[in-house]
Amino acid sequence: MKKLKPWNYLVPIIMFLVAAFQYYQTTQGLSRWKGGGFGMYSEIGYHHTEIWIDSRDTFLLIEDFLPNWRKEASLIQQVKKFPKEPYLKQLYATLEKHDNTKDYTIEIWLPKVDLDQLTFTKTKIHDYSKNDFQDTP
């Protein structure tokens, strides 16, 4: 019988460490997409994230709200990927260019699939209005 050398265990150990690190990242608030590639097929991708615009008299998806939304497609994609303040400010400025007589609320909704319960739900993960962008002294 051939005796295994210590370096023969190197690849399985590295694979285990990578998998353990990525599992740890998913337990620390990162999604499986952001935390690593092993779980990317178990969650819905960012392109299914919905951006809703509430202008007090209408509540529409951004694609229905902005008539020329394709001009802003890259910004919309950035907001869906990373709904952070700089992108949301840009999106709010775009909405004000469309009609600056209204106050808008931008809502970001994330679809979730629960394979154990066989359910599909949407969860509001962010809710931004102009007051959220005001600089505080």
Side-chain angles (χ1 to χ4, degrees), residues 51 75 78-80 82-95 106-108 126-128 133:
I51 301 173
L75 175 60
Q78 285 290 19
V79 171
K80 286 182 176 186
F82 306 108
K84 303 293 182 196
E85 189 170 335
Y87 301 122
L88 291 163
K89 279 183 177 180
Q90 285 180 304
L91 184 60
Y92 200 92
T94 302
L95 294 174
I106 302 170
E107 295 183 2
I108 313 292
H126 295 293
D127 189 354
Y128 294 98
F133 301 130

Side-chain angles (χ1 to χ4, degrees), residues 17-33:
L17 291 174
V18 168
F21 178 70
Q22 290 183 325
Y23 176 75
Y24 170 76
Q25 285 184 321
T26 62
T27 63
Q28 299 303 308
L30 291 177
S31 71
R32 290 181 178 95
W33 279 87

Side-chain angles (χ1 to χ4, degrees), residues 59-70:
F59 189 69
L60 297 170
L61 279 169
I62 189 133
E63 292 85 357
D64 298 329
F65 189 79
L66 289 175
N68 297 322
W69 69 270
R70 292 191 195 283

Side-chain angles (χ1 to χ4, degrees), residues 116-134:
D116 296 330
Q117 302 293 323
L118 297 176
T119 57
F120 175 81
T121 58
K122 294 179 185 178
T123 306
K124 184 170 33 171
I125 58 171
H126 295 293
D127 189 354
Y128 294 98
S129 64
K130 189 171 190 172
N131 297 334
D132 296 326
F133 301 130
Q134 302 291 332

Side-chain angles (χ1 to χ4, degrees), residues 39-89:
M40 71 180 191
Y41 297 111
S42 63
E43 287 185 350
I44 296 175
Y46 72 88
H47 49 279
H48 291 289
T49 300
E50 296 177 349
I51 301 173
W52 288 84
I53 307 300
D54 183 1
S55 66
R56 307 297 179 249
D57 58 344
T58 59
F59 189 69
L60 297 170
L61 279 169
I62 189 133
E63 292 85 357
D64 298 329
F65 189 79
L66 289 175
N68 297 322
W69 69 270
R70 292 191 195 283
K71 290 181 183 178
E72 306 297 334
S74 63
L75 175 60
I76 292 170
Q77 184 179 15
Q78 285 290 19
V79 171
K80 286 182 176 186
K81 276 187 192 177
F82 306 108
K84 303 293 182 196
E85 189 170 335
Y87 301 122
L88 291 163
K89 279 183 177 180

